[in-house]
Amino acid sequence: MKVLAVGGGGRENAAVEAFHRGGAEVFAVMKNANPGIIARSSKYKLMDEKDVEGVVAFAKECGVDLAFIGPEAPLEVGLSDALQAAGIKCASPTKSAARIETSKSFMRELVNKYSIAGNLEYASFDNAKDCEEYLRTIDHEIVVKPVGLTGGKGVKVQGEHLLSFEDTMAYVNEIFENNIGGAGVIIEEKAVGEEFTQMVFCDGKRIVPMPLVQDHKRAYEGDVGPNTGGMGSYSDCNHLLPFITSGERQAAIDIIQKVIDAMAKEGCPYHGVLYGQFMLTAKGPKIIEFNARFGDPEAMNVLSILKTNFQDVCMMMADGCLKDNIRFEYKATVCKYVVPKGYGVKSEVGKEISFDTEGIEKSGAVVYYANIDEKDGKLVTMSSRSAGIVGIGYYLEEAERNCEAALEFVKSDWIFVRHDIGKKELVQKRVDHMNGLRSA
């Protein structure tokens, strides 16, 4: 089968690797020369992933049977719609369905309209004056988000990033003045608990859950520093997480199914991977956000242990005939992102970096390249995350050790890694936090 893969990040490298394992012939479109994707592609083209006409022309030229879109930006401009109009099946949502991510107000209003559990108190605004008036009426802590896309870096939380009313209004004004996200501001109730990610495969009606994953957004060890696109993530061998019960996970799955049902009723059926970000609170899972694609880095965790042929899964999502026999290995994974020094503030770009892939594999890990470029035959850092190293093991401690061993085979004087991800002490901190909330 000929498959078009769109996107050049670590998430897309993991998807391309999964397609390759399943025997697909890959054709790739990306804006950066990802060496992992290039190595698995019969043909690739460097171009703007939002160039809908250009991507469709390349897909038709290559005679692809199926397309998979990794990033959110091409979904927002309707790439999936255009590919399908050209007769190419697509395992990614249409522009209308992708609003579940591209418009936070659409998502909250949908959940509210259909009385789906897990919603948070919210209000959206198209100007700063009305937003200020609302903020003066509430007495609980809030989260401030641009309504549109911000690459996972636009969220600011009262009590963490915003320490006063003046801080909050300064950020609201910044969003409007700089048109961050492009569509206004949404104010959400702050949920207290532990975040977790439940991703699912979806065919418009049915969903098949993937293993749970926990991402780590804060840049530095101990969960401090600026928010990032994600410094790393882990999954456990039983497909749960140490701080969550099977019943709590099922509650999140039920929420996702009801969202999918609601979207079908609204005339925008959802086909593709759906990412559900939840906060596990003392009262159960609360919806933080939905993304219309794999999480990054969470895609690396789950695709590394996917047993079912990924191209078959994608074809079932596109055709609307998903089966529940999709299988993952019962193994744990720990992903730690290698990032340029200064990432989250001002990255060191153009610095040489090298990977001993054989050494990484012998350590019980895999490498997925992300925001890397090639210069004079050498790999160099770009402004975002460089590569994800995923350790795999039969239990979490083994996966974390394998990840750390593999990191020894990444060489550069200009990189940073958050080493505490997946370590026993940090995981136990999460468990203790939830136990305290439940007993309070």
Side-chain angles (χ1 to χ4, degrees):
M1 182 187 297
K2 292 183 176 182
V3 174
L4 173 72
V6 178
R11 162 184 53 214
E12 291 78 32
N13 191 179
V16 165
E17 194 64 33
F19 280 128
H20 176 76
R21 288 199 307 269
E25 184 179 5
V26 175
F27 298 84
V29 166
M30 51 191 158
K31 58 187 177 184
N32 59 297
N34 184 308
I37 295 175
I38 290 171
R40 299 304 195 192
S41 299
S42 292
K43 187 176 182 180
Y44 70 93
K45 189 169 185 178
L46 300 181
M47 63 185 299
D48 184 350
E49 297 149 3
K50 295 185 291 183
D51 178 357
V52 173
E53 290 185 4
V55 175
V56 171
F58 178 75
K60 291 170 70 175
E61 172 192 323
C62 297
V64 300
D65 307 294
L66 174 71
F68 180 82
I69 303 165
E72 60 273 25
L75 297 172
E76 185 179 34
V77 297
L79 179 56
S80 179
D81 307 66
L83 287 164
Q84 292 179 66
I88 298 167
K89 294 181 179 183
C90 199
S92 299
T94 61
K95 180 178 180 177
S96 179
R99 287 179 297 163
I100 198 72
E101 173 175 9
T102 61
S103 173
K104 296 179 182 68
S105 55
F106 169 81
M107 183 274 285
R108 290 291 175 197
E109 288 160 9
L110 180 81
V111 172
N112 186 57
K113 177 179 178 179
Y114 288 89
S115 302
I116 299 170
N119 210 2
L120 297 170
E121 183 178 324
Y122 72 97
S124 55
F125 303 92
D126 60 8
N127 67 86
K129 183 176 182 296
D130 289 345
C131 185
E132 181 175 1
E133 289 179 2
Y134 169 77
L135 288 170
R136 292 190 183 280
T137 68
I138 58 175
D139 59 0
H140 56 79
E141 288 193 314
I142 51 93
V143 177
V144 181
K145 300 178 180 180
V147 168
L149 297 177
T150 59
K153 302 168 190 173
V155 177
K156 291 198 176 182
V157 181
Q158 266 191 355
E160 296 179 27
H161 313 99
L162 308 172
L163 303 180
S164 66
F165 184 85
E166 290 72 22
D167 286 349
T168 302
M169 279 311 304
Y171 185 50
V172 168
N173 286 321
E174 180 186 347
I175 291 171
F176 283 112
E177 289 168 7
N178 298 324
N179 199 32
I180 299 172
V185 165
I186 187 165
I187 305 297
E188 297 178 353
E189 166 195 357
K190 178 182 176 181
V192 178
E194 285 295 332
E195 284 196 56
F196 68 94
T197 302
Q198 176 64 74
M199 296 183 290
V200 301
F201 298 116
C202 184
D203 69 356
K205 294 180 180 179
R206 298 189 62 189
I207 63 172
V208 175
M210 303 182 215
L212 292 181
V213 188
Q214 186 174 50
D215 185 19
H216 298 68
K217 290 287 190 187
R218 302 301 281 270
Y220 311 132
E221 295 185 9
D223 295 321
V224 297
N227 267 355
T228 70
M231 293 297 296
S233 46
Y234 71 91
S235 66
D236 211 348
C237 54
N238 61 358
H239 299 172
L240 294 172
L241 291 168
F243 58 83
I244 192 168
T245 67
S246 58
E248 290 164 337
R249 181 199 188 197
Q250 187 60 50
I253 293 170
D254 291 343
I255 288 170
I256 294 174
Q257 182 65 66
K258 289 175 182 176
V259 167
I260 294 301
D261 295 342
M263 295 186 75
K265 291 174 183 175
E266 290 290 307
C268 50
Y270 192 97
H271 295 256
V273 171
L274 181 68
Y275 166 113
Q277 186 77 33
F278 294 90
M279 183 74 79
L280 180 60
T281 72
K283 296 181 179 180
K286 299 292 183 180
I287 302 165
I288 301 300
E289 65 179 359
F290 289 109
N291 291 335
R293 32 78 185 183
F294 274 118
D296 187 345
E298 294 100 326
M300 303 183 211
N301 299 88
V302 297
L303 288 173
S304 296
I305 57 172
L306 177 64
K307 293 178 70 175
T308 306
N309 190 313
F310 186 49
Q311 68 179 8
D312 293 344
V313 175
C314 288
M315 189 59 82
M316 287 189 288
M317 288 193 292
D319 284 341
C321 59
L322 199 61
K323 298 177 182 177
D324 60 5
N325 61 351
I326 297 170
R327 297 290 179 262
F328 293 85
E329 294 182 86
Y330 283 98
K331 290 183 178 179
T333 67
V334 173
C335 173
K336 301 187 186 188
Y337 245 127
V338 176
V339 305
K341 282 186 177 179
Y343 174 63
V345 182
K346 185 178 180 181
S347 298
E348 294 283 355
V349 301
K351 305 299 184 180
E352 187 176 343
I353 184 171
S354 65
F355 301 84
D356 179 349
T357 54
E358 185 177 340
I360 290 170
E361 290 172 6
K362 286 182 178 178
S363 300
V366 292
V367 56
Y368 297 116
Y369 300 98
N371 198 229
I372 281 180
D373 201 3
E374 189 173 333
K375 189 175 181 180
D376 299 327
K378 296 179 180 178
L379 298 180
V380 296
T381 59
M382 296 174 70
S383 61
S384 191
R385 299 168 294 179
S386 301
I389 305 297
V390 182
I392 303 168
Y394 286 100
Y395 49 93
L396 192 54
E397 292 86 349
E398 180 186 18
E400 194 278 329
R401 284 199 305 268
N402 290 347
C403 182
E404 281 293 319
L407 286 165
E408 296 294 322
F409 296 95
V410 183
K411 302 298 181 184
S412 176
D413 294 328
W414 301 95
I415 57 173
F416 172 76
V417 176
R418 189 175 155 181
H419 289 283
D420 64 344
I421 294 168
K423 286 192 179 294
K424 185 176 181 180
E425 296 77 14
L426 186 60
V427 173
Q428 188 60 47
K429 181 181 175 182
R430 306 280 197 257
V431 173
D432 293 343
H433 183 212
M434 277 313 307
N435 286 341
L437 289 174
R438 290 188 184 102
S439 62

